[in-house]
Amino acid sequence: MNRLILSRRAFGAGVISTAALAALAACSSDTTSKGGDGIVTAYDTEPQNPLIPTNTNEVGGGRIIDLIFAGLYSYDAHGALVNEVAKDVTTQDSQTFTVTLNEGWTFSDGTPVTSDSFIKAWNYGALKSHAHLSSAFFEPIEGFSYDTDSELTGLKKVSDTEFTITLKAPQSDFLLSLGYSAFYPLPESAYADMEAFGQKPVGNGPYSLSSWTHNERCELVPNEKYSGPRKAANKGVSFVFYTTYESGYADLQSDSLDVIDAIPDSALATFKDDLGDRAINQPGAVIQCFTIDVGSEHFKMDEEGRLRRKALSLAIDRKKICDTLYYSTRTPASDFTSPVISGWSDKVPGNEVLTFDATAAKEAWAQAEAISPFTGSFSIAYNADGPHKTWVDAVCNSIKTVLGIEAAGNPYPTFKELRADVTAHTLTSGFRAGWQGDYPSMGNFLNMVYRTGAGSNDAQYSNPEFDALLDQAAQTADQTQATTLYQKAQTLLFADLPAIPLWYQNGFGGHSTKVSNVEFGWNSAPLYHAVTKD
């Protein structure tokens, strides 16, 4: 669906390129040999981009960089901050932060991790000309600009182990965001050739990259220089890139794959019986939606567009789809965030547009037709290398039945090809989207996807009133008040529906008989470093 499904990311499924099926066969045949001697084999997808933290906002690459790099903080299984490179981060006003680093940290090449390692990396990732996908994470810092290349003047070096961060305004959840990958440091060697660095990055996390065979696998080995809390409990992690969840699950059942964090639709009814106590199914910080670019004809930010998006939403029987297709691994959405996030509520005003109502759907569509007749068919684009065809067909059939229009899925061979058209804004109908939390905050789900100009705002949605409410929520230190403001902001989203929430997705998957201590974190990501293998 890591960041977009962002992490967290663009949450995809399947390999990112058109690798021959022979490569997949090779994956199945050699996972056992690659996974011997205590090396854990894990399901993954080919990363969309070179492995540069500020330009990785999808799950395939996110799984890898989160093990190669360490930031000021990491998150434990429940989403709580855990100190890594940071010895302490203090603030009196949630606007100016003083960062003190633990001494002795080095990158895997032996060079020191200093204040400059963070300051220079953040400035590089924030530059408009670099167009990095996670640049919006630096927007709160003084000096950031969406319009021109500019220095983050809010970053000031005090010493090699101390620097300060000054924000444009107070932000109550900024500290919580500092465990996300956009805030990882980079070694000085990265800047000689960033593209080449991304092919074999040098990090400071619990693992180092040993090799990356594109469209096949990525090998990580423990970083002996790592001194943080995520010390590797195994001899390495071998990420295998699959073209389908079915192939990955088949390898898991044969003990050729050790960890998978997705189950194919065909196995949802049986995977808990198949795997027994090796099956995992728990609430996660993931929401599935479909989005429509608000620049598209008939779906603009005008009366017709709002009516049509409302009609589409009301025409979808979410509960029926979750009950009949997903066997307790999905829950119908009632907001734009996630039930595992503090402040979540299923009673946000306006969320009745997420409840199936055929009569109201027909009425809204008829009102839109009176403004401008709709011709052609409605489609939802999706990547066919992931488990999306079943739900896309179900949603389209529901829309077709209720509204009496042609509706069908628009399959793309790979996630990478779909994302290329999404980011180029060439799609004029629906396309699958979603979000996996980067850090455990309502602000993360709303700011990164719906704020004007945000890196993951694929709908190109812009509402100044919504943006202002997000600013107010971020600037209050009172979490109860912040929650109220975030919920008020969501009422605007329910009126505009730049994306149509469908359901929350559990974190579910399983592991082989060869590994132990397999746990999924708050964001449904396996804690790979803790997995043990004899």
Side-chain angles (χ1 to χ4, degrees):
M1 279 205 231
N2 200 157
R3 287 164 160 170
L4 279 179
I5 14 193
L6 224 82
S7 103
R8 149 175 161 190
R9 302 165 164 125
F11 197 61
V15 71
I16 299 293
S17 74
T18 53
L21 289 180
L24 175 61
C27 287
S28 295
S29 64
D30 70 355
T31 51
T32 301
S33 60
K34 293 284 187 179
D37 301 323
I39 297 174
V40 174
T41 57
Y43 178 95
D44 202 5
T45 62
E46 172 75 9
Q48 181 184 13
N49 297 309
L51 296 170
I52 301 166
T54 51
N55 203 33
T56 300
N57 75 335
E58 43 76 40
V59 174
R63 291 184 179 102
I64 299 169
I65 64 168
D66 285 344
L67 295 182
I68 295 175
F69 291 92
L72 297 172
Y73 294 104
S74 59
Y75 303 106
D76 69 12
H78 306 291
L81 288 175
V82 178
N83 289 65
E84 281 210 281
V85 184
K87 181 178 181 180
D88 195 18
V89 181
T90 59
T91 182
Q92 298 296 320
D93 56 6
S94 295
Q95 183 170 5
T96 299
F97 299 79
T98 299
V99 179
T100 304
L101 305 180
N102 283 303
E103 296 184 8
W105 272 80
T106 66
F107 292 98
S108 59
D109 63 0
T111 58
V113 178
T114 68
S115 296
D116 287 328
S117 306
F118 289 94
I119 293 171
K120 193 168 182 178
W122 299 4
N123 268 294
Y124 187 93
L127 288 179
K128 179 180 184 295
S129 60
H130 291 156
H132 280 196
L133 295 171
S134 293
S135 63
F137 278 89
F138 304 108
E139 190 274 338
I141 300 175
E142 280 189 354
F144 178 88
S145 173
Y146 285 113
D147 301 320
T148 61
D149 279 350
S150 60
E151 180 186 0
L152 297 176
T153 54
L155 301 180
K156 300 292 184 183
K157 179 180 178 180
V158 178
S159 69
D160 281 347
T161 58
E162 186 177 330
F163 67 100
T164 60
I165 308 167
T166 302
L167 308 184
K168 299 171 184 175
Q171 182 170 323
S172 57
D173 66 351
F174 183 75
L175 189 66
L176 197 59
S177 74
L178 291 176
Y180 180 56
S181 58
F183 297 102
Y184 290 160
L186 291 176
E188 189 62 32
S189 61
Y191 304 100
D193 187 338
M194 191 63 75
E195 186 77 13
F197 175 84
Q199 297 298 323
K200 194 168 183 180
V202 173
N204 62 323
Y207 294 86
S208 299
L209 178 66
S210 173
S211 66
W212 179 5
T213 305
H214 287 284
N215 307 315
E216 291 186 20
R217 67 194 316 130
C218 192
E219 305 285 349
L220 306 185
V221 297
N223 174 15
E224 299 303 325
K225 294 182 173 63
Y226 175 78
S227 56
R230 295 183 292 147
K231 195 73 173 176
N234 47 60
K235 298 297 184 181
V237 178
S238 177
F239 285 108
V240 184
F241 304 148
Y242 286 88
T243 55
T244 66
Y245 284 140
E246 284 79 5
S247 299
Y249 186 62
D251 276 359
L252 185 85
Q253 289 179 294
S254 67
D255 272 352
S256 297
L257 184 72
D258 291 321
V259 180
I260 191 169
D261 54 344
I263 299 294
D265 289 350
S266 58
L268 287 178
T270 61
F271 85 98
K272 285 179 276 190
D273 291 333
D274 293 341
L275 302 179
D277 60 5
R278 295 184 289 115
I280 295 172
N281 183 28
Q282 65 186 49
V286 176
I287 186 171
Q288 180 74 55
C289 312
F290 72 83
T291 296
I292 308 172
D293 193 313
V294 298
S296 303
E297 186 179 4
H298 298 297
F299 295 99
K300 293 181 169 63
M301 290 299 296
D302 54 19
E303 185 180 3
E304 181 199 357
R306 290 184 178 91
L307 284 167
R308 292 203 187 280
R309 289 192 293 273
K310 176 181 178 181
L312 292 170
S313 182
L314 290 167
I316 301 166
D317 194 339
R318 294 165 177 78
K319 186 177 188 306
K320 182 178 180 180
I321 293 172
C322 288
D323 289 346
T324 58
L325 296 181
Y326 290 120
Y327 303 94
S328 301
T329 62
R330 308 286 199 283
T331 304
S334 52
D335 84 327
F336 289 82
T337 66
S338 162
V340 305
I341 301 299
S342 177
W344 173 85
S345 172
D346 61 356
K347 295 178 174 59
V348 179
N351 71 353
E352 60 273 9
V353 296
L354 304 185
T355 301
F356 178 62
D357 188 332
T359 300
K362 292 174 183 177
E363 290 175 354
W365 192 262
Q367 292 172 31
E369 285 291 282
I371 298 171
S372 176
F374 180 84
T375 58
S377 63
F378 181 78
S379 64
I380 298 177
Y382 66 96
N383 51 299
D385 58 3
H388 305 297
K389 183 181 188 304
T390 302
W391 74 257
V392 169
D393 286 348
V395 168
C396 287
N397 286 335
S398 191
I399 291 170
K400 182 178 181 179
T401 300
V402 172
L403 299 181
I405 63 172
E406 290 300 315
N410 174 20
Y412 279 64
T414 66
F415 181 57
K416 183 176 184 178
E417 290 168 277
L418 172 63
R419 289 301 304 169
D421 277 2
V422 169
T423 54
H425 303 293
T426 60
L427 293 171
T428 58
S429 193
F431 51 90
R432 64 160 291 263
W435 192 255
Q436 177 182 1
D438 302 311
Y439 56 94
S441 165
M442 294 179 72
N444 175 241
F445 280 77
L446 302 178
N447 273 289
M448 302 309 297
V449 185
Y450 304 110
R451 176 186 283 277
T452 302
S456 298
N457 186 346
D458 295 327
Q460 299 193 86
Y461 175 66
S462 179
N463 184 330
E465 185 181 354
F466 173 81
D467 294 346
L469 287 168
L470 295 187
D471 289 340
Q472 293 175 46
Q475 293 167 20
T476 178
D478 184 329
Q479 290 304 304
T480 300
Q481 183 181 357
T483 295
T484 299
L485 290 165
Y486 283 133
Q487 291 177 352
K488 187 175 181 181
Q490 289 195 80
T491 64
L492 299 178
L493 293 183
F494 283 127
D496 293 337
L497 286 176
I500 296 177
L502 296 172
W503 38 74
Y504 309 117
Q505 180 172 308
N506 278 11
F508 57 93
H511 61 88
S512 74
T513 64
K514 298 180 178 180
V515 294
S516 304
N517 300 317
V518 179
E519 184 178 10
F520 285 17
W522 67 276
N523 60 351
S524 304
L527 305 180
Y528 299 103
H529 70 278
V531 179
T532 56
K533 184 174 183 178
D534 294 331

